[in-house]
Amino acid sequence: MRGHESSVFSISVHASGRYAITTSSDTAQLWDLDTFQRKRKLNILQSVGIQKVFFLPLSNTILSCFKDNSIFAWECDTLSCKYQLPAPPESSSVLYKVFAVTRDGRILAAGGKSNHLHLWCLEAKQLFRIIQMPTKVRAIRHLEFLPDSFDAGSNQVLGVLSQDGIMRFVNIQTCKLLFEIGSLDEGISSSVISPHGRYIASIMENGSLNIYSVQALTQEINKPPPPLVKVIEDLPKSKLNSGGLKMKVTSGRVQRPAKSRENKIQARILKQDLTGNFENKENEASDGLNKKRLQILLKGYGEYPTKYRMFIWRSLLQLPENHTAFSSLVDKGVHVAFLNLQKKYPIKSRKLLRVLQRTLSALAHWSAIFSDTPYLPLLAFPFVKLFQNNQLICFEVVATLIINWCQHWFEYFPNPPINILSLIENVLAFHDKELLQHFIDHDITSQLYAWPLLETVFSEVLTREEWLKLFDNVFSNHPSFLLMTVVAYNTCSRAPLLNCSLRDDFEYFFHHRNNLDISVVIREVYHLMDTTPTDIHPNDKLDAFVALTKGQYPVFNQYPKFIVDYQTQERERIRNDELDFLRERQMVEDMQAEVDQQRVEDEAWYQKQELLRKAEETRREMLLQEEEKMAQQRQRLASVKRELRAKEMHLQDATRRRFLKLQQDQREMELRRLNDEIERKVHMRDQEIATTAKDLEMRHLELESQKRLYEKNLIRNQEAVAKEMREDSDTYRRKVDLEEHMFHKLIEAGQTQNQKTQKLIEENLAEAEQACLNADWRIQALHKQRCDDLQRNACYQEVAKLLRENRRKETEVLNAMVGEGARKVRMGLQIFLLFIV
């Protein structure tokens, strides 16, 4: 149930339970609770907010109150505006916040941030009273009327909850403050009154929940008349005054003495005890109730007080409250006769249906006759509805009714009780022969004008209040009172009955409510009870009241057992036959369903195959079309490929030519570079050779000069030849080692510095030649040394040969490197051409 954009703060339900109105600050919506669908939505301007929208009790009128104090009334069915209340006077202008309506829907109370309370008469559509609350009241937070069973819905007491947490109850006619609940120390946050006005439940500001007894609060105000109080003085006063709180009436207001802190908790406990005693007084059977005194009270008021009615009924019927016996009946489960009760009696309330089904099943388990009694649901339904929250009491009330007020009803079962109907007809013949003759003339029997009233115990022709009032008298008198009520109902309705001539009119009359005062009917019953002769009076034919026995319920066998047994057997046989028939029908239906399912599946299969065949043809056509398109696309692609191939060949040819030209240019450049390198190296070699020749010449000259110097000194140093030879020998060995060391170094550095090595070798050769020249004069003495010199010269020649071989290999490596560079250039050009392609 969506639709509100802001939070919902008010829900109002129609008296029929079919419609509901939900209200938020910006809109109100009307819902159908049968379908949970929205029927209508009330949209307003944002500047004018909604205060409250609700149904008036017992009417089809919707009242909408807005924040600008405008109040409209709408018809629920047509949603047309019925009227608008005029604006309140400026002297007492109040912005309405809270509202309350009496149960009859005639008076509207409205209040807000003020101590003024406005009372509107909705019939006259005008403000008829303004009540000024005490000065302590600055704002009104909640309004609610206090219901009363004897004011016919025109509630006179209004509860006003103000900002100080105190709820004051005011009589709107006398404008007197009757009583108040709550205090400044223990303020009330919110409060609600029970539907019958017996209790007030309040949530306190400290979080506790207080329940107040209205009877205890108003016992000084609503004192019953002295004679009646004197009659029922048997009730112990301690039950009502157990709280110990004394109240004084001062100018119409009940005041309680100030309570100290010490006895505050004690007072709260006493209030709870008071409530507990009040509930126990209603739930427990009391021996202090005297039937004669109750009859006197009943004749005085015409009915029992609503607060005490159930308590009085249980006392009059002397219900034993056999919990164990009733539990054993309930534990047997739902009787087979009432499994499908909802089909015959479709009750909207699921709870009420379950209680009715359980009660009827318990009666059927108690006595077999009730499983075959067709009118038992009609007989029990009003009591089930009345006692739906206490199933034990409901069962015992119905059982007591059957044993006492339904005596001899089952002697002609399954036919209506002819003997009882004959008693009614005899009494009617005595008191109103004309009406009975009218029935006879139109072929209307007692089964039509008496039996419908008995089997429904008048629940179809009376309202709830009328029915309760009638059974206050029925349960307070002899069982024959119910039969006399049938006669009185007919005699009091003789005028419309005499005007009826069709059977359908009579049937409608005895199955629907009629414009008849039940009080007149009850007075007529008492008159018939007193004036009917003894020979036809039902008193002699019916036994006196007998209560149910305690512990176990009595055996009920006041019916023709053989008929019930025969009907039970026949019903069982019919049930078995019906089960067999249903089983066979189920099998046939299953087979038929299988055949239908197979046929449907076959049809679906054929349809599917046809669809598949059509789809296949469609796909084939599409495939042919696609193949044609593909062939055309292949032809176009082939032509494009040929064009691309021709372009590619042209590009490759042009690239090849460019590459060849580039390669030729690179080779020419390489050749020029190599020629330049060769020329440079030849020039360097020539320079080195010339430099070496000059060096050799200079060395030769130096050697010649040294030779002459040595020759000059040879003679000079002959004395020290031996010594000098030894020194020369040592010097020669060191020199040889040095030359070998230098030779190894030259070999190691020969690969990187060829020309330097050659120079060093030439220098060594020159030194060797110089050494040879110096040693010529020692040839004769140093023959061995000369042989070594010759061997060393051979080694030098071999080294020169190796150097020449190394130079040749270097030239070959250089040529190989040039060829490898050219090959890499060609490979790079090929990759470049492939990348271009």
Side-chain angles (χ1 to χ4, degrees):
M1 298 168 66
R2 302 180 182 273
H4 285 282
E5 296 180 358
S6 57
S7 60
V8 175
F9 57 77
S10 173
I11 300 177
S12 176
V13 182
H14 191 264
S16 64
R18 182 176 180 183
Y19 303 108
I21 294 176
T22 57
T23 309
S24 60
S25 60
D26 55 351
T27 183
Q29 305 194 34
L30 178 63
W31 303 88
D32 189 339
L33 297 184
D34 291 338
T35 61
F36 295 101
Q37 299 294 324
R38 184 174 63 190
K39 290 191 63 178
R40 191 65 63 90
K41 181 178 181 181
L42 174 63
N43 290 320
I44 61 168
L45 298 175
Q46 293 183 356
S47 59
V48 182
I50 298 176
Q51 199 67 52
K52 192 174 183 181
V53 181
F54 56 95
F55 286 104
L56 290 181
L58 305 178
S59 70
N60 285 334
T61 303
I62 301 174
L63 213 61
S64 61
C65 310
F66 301 94
K67 292 184 178 179
D68 59 353
N69 274 13
S70 58
I71 300 176
F72 294 85
W74 311 82
E75 182 64 33
C76 177
D77 297 330
T78 62
L79 295 175
S80 59
C81 183
K82 295 176 66 175
Y83 58 84
Q84 177 184 2
L85 296 181
E90 296 181 357
S91 60
S92 179
S93 179
V94 179
L95 287 177
Y96 294 151
K97 297 287 186 182
V98 289
F99 306 88
V101 183
T102 57
R103 291 179 63 187
D104 58 5
R106 295 181 178 180
I107 297 177
L108 171 67
K113 272 196 172 184
S114 172
N115 64 345
H116 285 190
L117 190 64
H118 290 187
L119 299 178
W120 294 85
C121 179
L122 298 181
E123 291 181 340
K125 305 175 187 61
Q126 63 181 2
L127 181 68
F128 74 93
R129 184 163 298 156
I130 299 176
I131 299 177
Q132 183 175 1
M133 298 298 292
T135 56
K136 297 179 181 179
V137 177
R138 297 191 304 272
I140 298 174
R141 290 164 45 190
H142 180 64
L143 293 174
E144 189 169 0
F145 280 96
L146 182 65
D148 194 340
S149 302
F150 298 96
D151 59 5
S154 59
N155 311 129
Q156 303 297 316
V157 180
L158 177 63
V160 182
L161 178 61
S162 56
Q163 89 289 340
D164 56 2
I166 299 176
M167 191 168 187
R168 300 169 174 85
F169 287 83
V170 183
N171 189 307
I172 61 175
Q173 298 297 332
T174 62
C175 298
K176 289 184 178 181
L177 181 63
L178 302 180
F179 61 91
E180 62 185 32
I181 57 177
S183 63
L184 296 176
D185 296 333
E186 191 176 1
I188 296 175
S189 177
S190 61
S191 184
V192 65
I193 303 174
S194 63
H196 297 289
R198 294 161 56 186
Y199 305 108
I200 303 171
S202 300
I203 298 177
M204 315 306 289
E205 292 178 350
N206 59 7
S208 62
L209 175 66
N210 289 1
I211 299 180
Y212 300 91
S213 170
V214 176
Q215 181 201 17
L217 294 171
T218 60
Q219 61 181 353
E220 292 295 330
I221 302 172
N222 296 331
K223 278 189 175 180
L228 298 180
V229 172
K230 194 172 184 179
V231 171
I232 62 172
E233 192 146 355
D234 292 330
L235 287 173
K237 291 184 178 180
S238 60
K239 291 187 178 180
L240 295 177
N241 296 329
S242 60
L245 297 177
K246 295 181 180 180
M247 299 184 181
K248 297 180 181 180
V249 179
T250 304
S251 67
R253 174 177 174 179
V254 177
Q255 294 182 345
R256 280 179 275 179
K259 295 180 286 184
S260 63
R261 282 286 181 182
E262 288 75 11
N263 60 4
K264 184 175 182 180
I265 299 177
Q266 182 182 1
R268 187 180 301 174
I269 297 174
L270 290 175
K271 286 192 281 185
Q272 294 175 355
D273 293 337
L274 175 65
T275 307
N277 291 335
F278 181 73
E279 288 294 336
N280 293 334
K281 181 173 65 177
E282 186 175 353
N283 294 333
E284 296 178 0
S286 174
D287 297 333
L289 292 180
N290 187 283
K291 188 172 182 179
K292 291 184 178 180
R293 292 178 179 177
L294 287 176
Q295 288 176 347
I296 295 173
L297 179 65
L298 182 62
K299 288 183 180 179
Y301 281 99
E303 62 178 328
Y304 293 126
T306 304
K307 298 179 182 179
Y308 303 102
R309 174 175 282 122
M310 301 301 106
F311 167 68
I312 295 173
W313 281 16
R314 291 161 67 178
S315 300
L316 290 173
L317 300 179
Q318 302 176 21
L319 302 181
E321 299 188 15
N322 298 328
H323 293 275
T324 304
F326 177 71
S327 298
S328 64
L329 294 175
V330 172
D331 292 342
K332 294 181 180 180
V334 179
H335 197 277
V336 66
F338 304 108
L339 286 175
N340 298 321
L341 183 67
Q342 68 275 9
K343 294 181 180 179
K344 189 174 182 181
Y345 300 98
I347 301 174
K348 185 176 181 180
S349 174
R350 301 293 300 173
K351 175 185 176 183
L352 193 60
L353 177 63
R354 287 195 303 270
V355 175
L356 177 62
Q357 194 176 41
R358 199 170 298 166
T359 304
L360 297 178
S361 299
L363 291 170
H365 292 310
W366 176 45
S367 180
I369 184 68
F370 298 126
S371 63
D372 300 324
T373 307
Y375 56 86
L376 185 64
L378 300 175
L379 181 73
F381 180 73
F383 298 99
V384 170
K385 192 172 183 181
L386 191 63
F387 297 99
Q388 57 182 316
N389 294 323
N390 195 334
Q391 300 178 33
L392 170 64
I393 300 300
C394 177
F395 171 80
E396 293 186 350
V397 168
V398 176
T400 304
L401 177 74
I402 292 173
I403 290 177
N404 293 280
W405 282 271
C406 299
Q407 297 180 39
H408 309 295
W409 279 28
F410 306 98
E411 293 179 358
Y412 293 90
F413 185 83
N415 299 314
I418 306 301
N419 49 351
I420 299 298
L421 298 179
S422 299
L423 292 175
I424 296 174
E425 188 171 353
N426 292 336
V427 176
L428 181 62
F430 178 79
H431 290 283
D432 199 337
K433 294 181 180 180
E434 181 183 359
L435 181 59
L436 179 61
Q437 187 61 42
H438 179 71
F439 288 153
I440 296 172
D441 294 341
H442 293 87
D443 197 18
I444 303 300
T445 63
S446 57
Q447 296 186 20
L448 184 59
Y449 66 81
W451 182 236
L453 301 178
L454 289 176
E455 66 178 357
T456 61
V457 286
F458 293 88
S459 61
E460 286 186 345
V461 296
L462 298 179
T463 63
R464 174 186 171 89
E465 289 74 15
E466 292 173 345
W467 187 85
L468 292 173
K469 189 173 183 180
L470 172 63
F471 269 84
D472 284 344
N473 292 271
V474 170
F475 288 151
S476 301
N477 289 278
H478 192 271
S480 61
F481 191 90
L482 183 62
L483 305 183
M484 289 297 189
T485 305
V486 177
V487 179
Y489 189 85
N490 281 272
T491 56
C492 292
S493 305
R494 67 189 314 272
L497 288 174
L498 291 175
N499 291 328
C500 295
S501 58
L502 299 177
R503 185 179 183 85
D504 293 340
D505 295 339
F506 287 103
E507 290 181 354
Y508 183 86
F509 184 86
F510 290 105
H511 285 281
H512 293 80
R513 296 176 183 175
N514 303 292
N515 187 15
L516 189 63
D517 189 357
I518 191 63
S519 301
V520 176
V521 175
I522 293 173
R523 286 198 297 270
E524 180 65 19
V525 175
Y526 282 108
H527 175 72
L528 295 177
M529 291 287 287
D530 296 336
T531 59
T532 302
T534 307
D535 55 343
I536 61 174
H537 202 292
N539 272 350
D540 298 336
K541 309 299 186 298
L542 301 179
D543 298 331
F545 174 80
V546 177
L548 295 177
T549 57
K550 282 188 175 292
Q552 295 292 331
Y553 296 115
V555 177
F556 185 82
N557 55 1
Q558 300 175 10
Y559 57 88
K561 192 172 184 302
F562 68 94
I563 294 179
V564 175
D565 293 342
Y566 175 75
Q567 284 192 345
T568 303
Q569 294 174 2
E570 286 296 310
R571 187 177 296 103
E572 188 66 25
R573 183 183 60 80
I574 293 172
R575 185 179 292 110
N576 292 331
D577 294 342
E578 185 177 359
L579 289 175
D580 294 339
F581 171 73
L582 291 175
R583 194 179 298 109
E584 292 177 359
R585 189 175 68 178
Q586 186 64 32
M587 291 176 60
V588 172
E589 289 178 353
D590 293 342
M591 293 175 63
Q592 184 65 33
E594 290 179 0
V595 172
D596 294 341
Q597 182 68 21
Q598 188 65 34
R599 186 173 63 253
V600 170
E601 290 179 357
D602 293 343
E603 291 179 355
W605 186 81
Y606 286 126
Q607 291 178 359
K608 190 174 182 180
Q609 292 298 319
E610 183 65 22
L611 291 174
L612 289 174
R613 186 184 62 80
K614 292 181 179 178
E616 185 178 1
E617 293 178 355
T618 305
R619 297 298 186 280
R620 285 180 178 175
E621 292 177 357
M622 293 172 63
L623 186 60
L624 291 174
Q625 294 176 0
E626 290 295 329
E627 288 179 352
E628 292 178 359
K629 291 180 181 179
M630 288 291 292
Q632 294 176 0
Q633 289 181 358
R634 287 195 187 98
Q635 293 177 0
R636 288 197 296 270
L637 285 174
S639 61
V640 171
K641 283 182 179 180
R642 286 193 296 270
E643 293 176 359
L644 289 175
R645 193 172 289 112
K647 290 181 180 180
E648 183 179 359
M649 292 174 66
H650 291 303
L651 288 173
Q652 287 180 354
D653 188 29
T655 304
R656 185 177 58 81
R657 287 195 298 269
R658 285 197 303 270
F659 176 71
L660 291 176
K661 184 181 179 186
L662 179 63
Q663 191 175 13
Q664 186 177 359
D665 295 341
Q666 287 181 351
R667 286 182 178 179
E668 292 176 354
M669 290 175 64
E670 186 69 20
L671 288 174
R672 285 194 297 270
R673 186 179 65 80
L674 291 175
N675 291 329
D676 294 339
E677 185 70 20
I678 291 170
E679 290 176 358
R680 185 178 63 81
K681 287 186 176 183
V682 169
H683 180 68
M684 288 177 65
R685 188 185 62 186
D686 294 339
Q687 287 181 352
E688 289 177 357
I689 292 171
T691 304
T692 304
K694 290 179 180 181
D695 291 338
L696 289 174
E697 290 177 357
M698 288 297 294
R699 186 64 179 165
H700 184 68
L701 291 174
E702 289 177 359
L703 289 174
E704 288 293 333
S705 62
Q706 287 179 2
K707 182 178 178 182
R708 287 190 298 269
L709 180 63
Y710 288 151
E711 288 177 354
K712 287 177 181 180
N713 294 330
L714 181 58
I715 297 169
R716 189 185 302 165
N717 295 325
Q718 281 191 4
E719 296 92 12
V721 170
K723 183 179 178 180
E724 206 174 277
M725 286 178 66
R726 287 191 300 269
E727 290 177 357
D728 290 339
S729 178
D730 294 335
T731 302
Y732 178 76
R733 281 194 300 271
R734 286 194 298 272
K735 187 176 182 180
V736 169
D737 293 336
L738 180 61
E739 287 176 357
E740 288 180 358
H741 180 68
M742 294 297 293
F743 173 76
H744 288 299
K745 283 187 177 181
L746 289 172
I747 291 174
E748 290 176 358
Q751 293 179 359
T752 57
Q753 296 177 352
N754 292 325
Q755 297 186 9
K756 196 177 204 182
T757 304
Q758 184 178 0
K759 183 178 179 180
L760 290 174
I761 292 172
E762 290 176 354
E763 289 177 356
N764 291 332
L765 288 174
E767 290 178 359
E769 290 176 357
Q770 184 66 33
C772 289
L773 292 175
N774 292 332
D776 284 342
W777 62 276
R778 297 181 186 141
I779 290 173
Q780 291 82 10
L782 297 174
H783 179 69
K784 188 177 179 180
Q785 293 180 2
R786 186 176 180 183
C787 291
D788 293 336
D789 291 336
L790 291 174
Q791 188 177 359
R792 190 165 50 256
N793 288 333
C795 290
Y796 289 160
Q797 292 177 1
E798 186 178 358
V799 169
K801 182 179 179 182
L802 290 174
L803 288 174
R804 287 192 298 271
E805 185 68 18
N806 288 336
R807 194 178 295 274
R808 184 181 61 79
K809 289 182 178 181
E810 286 177 358
T811 305
E812 291 177 357
V813 169
L814 181 61
N815 293 331
M817 292 177 64
V818 172
E820 183 66 17
R823 188 179 65 81
K824 288 183 179 180
V825 171
R826 288 195 301 273
M827 186 178 295
L829 289 173
Q830 290 177 359
I831 294 172
F832 177 73
L833 291 174
L834 291 175
F835 179 77
I836 294 174
V837 173

